[in-house]
Each structure stands twice: as structure tokens, then as C-alpha cells.
Amino acid sequence: PKMDFSTLPESAAVRPVNQDNSPHQVLARLILDRQSLRPGETARLGLHLTQDEGWHTYWKSNVEVGQPTDIKWGLPDGYTSTEYAYPIPQRFDTEGIVSFGYDKEVLLFTNITVPEDAQPGPITLTATAGWLTCEKNCIPASDVKLSLPVDVVAADTPDASAAHPYAALFDHYTLQHPTPVDKIDSLSFEGALSKSAIKFDE
């Protein structure tokens, strides 16, 4: 889904600067799937990366090249977060070197839980992130700091999270998360052979 990020505060949208003072090839955003938080509820907090044309960041696999994106969430006391999940990646083959990751954009997010006794008022959610982005050459970004101010409202405030535009983006990437191995009941495979594609002596 297409998103309008124009209302994000400046602190929540960061494009780092490379060592040569040129703009980095990735724009990072810290986004939440709702406008405000309520005591006791769980929300999705994510790092959204938009890569320049031709550039990609990496999945969590340990392959010959690449480096997974690293995120450290910063939450107020009493708030908890889950491990962030990676959506199913794309396969890249650069001059015979295979890697897995994401071009254009990707959203990595955690589920945060607000404590039951959270008091109404403003709080700040933060993330410190690092990643490697590659085309034919690779450029790292590290210690990228983002912060997102958000209000905690009273527990009896109506929940409007489903109407928040960013919720659709979180839903989109949730559907791309792989099924955990312990949740798979069975596997099936289909095979196909193209005789016209087989060449003599190969």
C-alpha cells in the first residue's frame, strides 16, 4: 500500500550521511500502527526502510555477503517488546554471488505492550538501527537514531487503531512473515521437468 509519511515528525524520518558527506541510499522511518496508546494494549512499532533504486538491504541469513539490519528499541520503563520479524526475502544474484534481502522498501517491526498502570501523557519511543545496503558496492549505516513522540490516553478512550493509515502497511508485511517451523503441520512438493530446456551433455 502507498503511504503518506508527510505527517511524521522530523525525528522519526532520518536519511544518514555517508562518509563522503553524500546522502545515504536508505531513508529510515520509525512508525506506529496507531495514533495513540492505551494502558494494557499491544501495538506494532516498526522500522521502515526505503532504498534508492537498485540498492537493497539484507535478510537475517548468514550467507557469503550481506549483514542483517540491527534494531535496538528504546521504550519507557514498564513497556515490553517482542523480537522483530523479517518478511520473506528476495533472492539477489550479483555476478554469481547470491544473497537474500529487500529492495525498494521493507518494514521490520516489534509488538510493544503498554503497562496496565501507564499514566496518560506524552512519551517518546526510540530506535537505534544499523544496516548494510548494496548495489555493486556496499555502504553501511550504523547508530542511526530515530524517535517518535506519542500520547498515552486513558484506558476508556475508544480504539481507533484500525483506521490509522499505517495499520495497512503493518498488515501487508505481517502476511509476508514466514510460518514458524513449529507451526507447520505438513509439507508437500511438486516437481516439473522441461525436456526442451535440457541440452545434450549437460
Side-chain angles (χ1 to χ4, degrees):
K2 298 295 183 182
M3 293 287 113
D4 179 8
F5 295 108
S6 61
T7 59
L8 265 184
E10 186 175 334
S11 62
V14 176
R15 184 183 288 272
V17 176
N18 295 325
Q19 288 186 348
D20 62 0
N21 290 323
S22 63
H24 189 64
Q25 287 73 14
V26 176
L27 171 62
R29 299 180 179 93
L30 185 62
I31 60 174
L32 193 66
D33 70 348
R34 61 202 64 205
Q35 193 68 39
S36 57
L37 296 170
R38 300 181 301 174
E41 76 174 354
T42 297
R44 295 172 292 184
L45 176 67
L47 178 72
H48 182 262
L49 303 179
T50 302
Q51 287 112 173
D52 289 349
E53 185 68 30
W55 293 81
H56 58 269
T57 53
Y58 289 94
W59 187 48
K60 61 181 178 180
S61 64
N62 184 15
V63 292
E64 185 176 354
V65 297
Q67 176 182 314
T69 298
D70 177 68
I71 312 169
K72 294 180 176 60
W73 310 105
L75 307 175
D77 290 343
Y79 288 65
T80 60
S81 64
T82 62
E83 184 178 353
Y84 54 95
Y86 287 79
I88 294 172
Q90 301 164 249
R91 181 181 185 273
F92 300 103
D93 187 336
T94 306
E95 299 179 352
I97 300 175
V98 174
S99 61
F100 298 89
Y102 314 95
D103 64 0
K104 297 182 180 177
E105 63 178 275
V106 66
L107 177 64
L108 307 176
F109 66 86
T110 178
N111 293 308
I112 65 170
T113 300
V114 184
E116 296 281 355
D117 59 355
Q119 297 299 307
I123 63 168
T124 299
L125 306 174
T126 68
T128 302
W131 58 82
L132 183 69
T133 183
C134 298
E135 189 190 33
K136 290 183 179 179
N137 59 321
C138 296
I139 301 176
S142 60
D143 201 31
V144 179
K145 299 184 185 302
L146 305 103
S147 62
L148 178 67
V150 61
D151 287 328
V152 176
V153 297
D156 58 357
T157 303
D159 181 12
S161 60
H164 194 279
Y166 296 166
L169 189 63
F170 282 91
D171 292 343
H172 172 79
Y173 279 97
T174 298
L175 293 175
Q176 298 181 47
H177 288 170
T179 303
V181 174
D182 60 357
K183 302 295 183 183
I184 298 175
D185 296 323
S186 63
L187 291 173
S188 62
F189 298 89
E190 292 185 3
L193 178 65
S194 172
K195 293 182 179 180
S196 64
I198 300 176
K199 298 180 181 179
F200 178 73
D201 205 26
E202 290 190 356

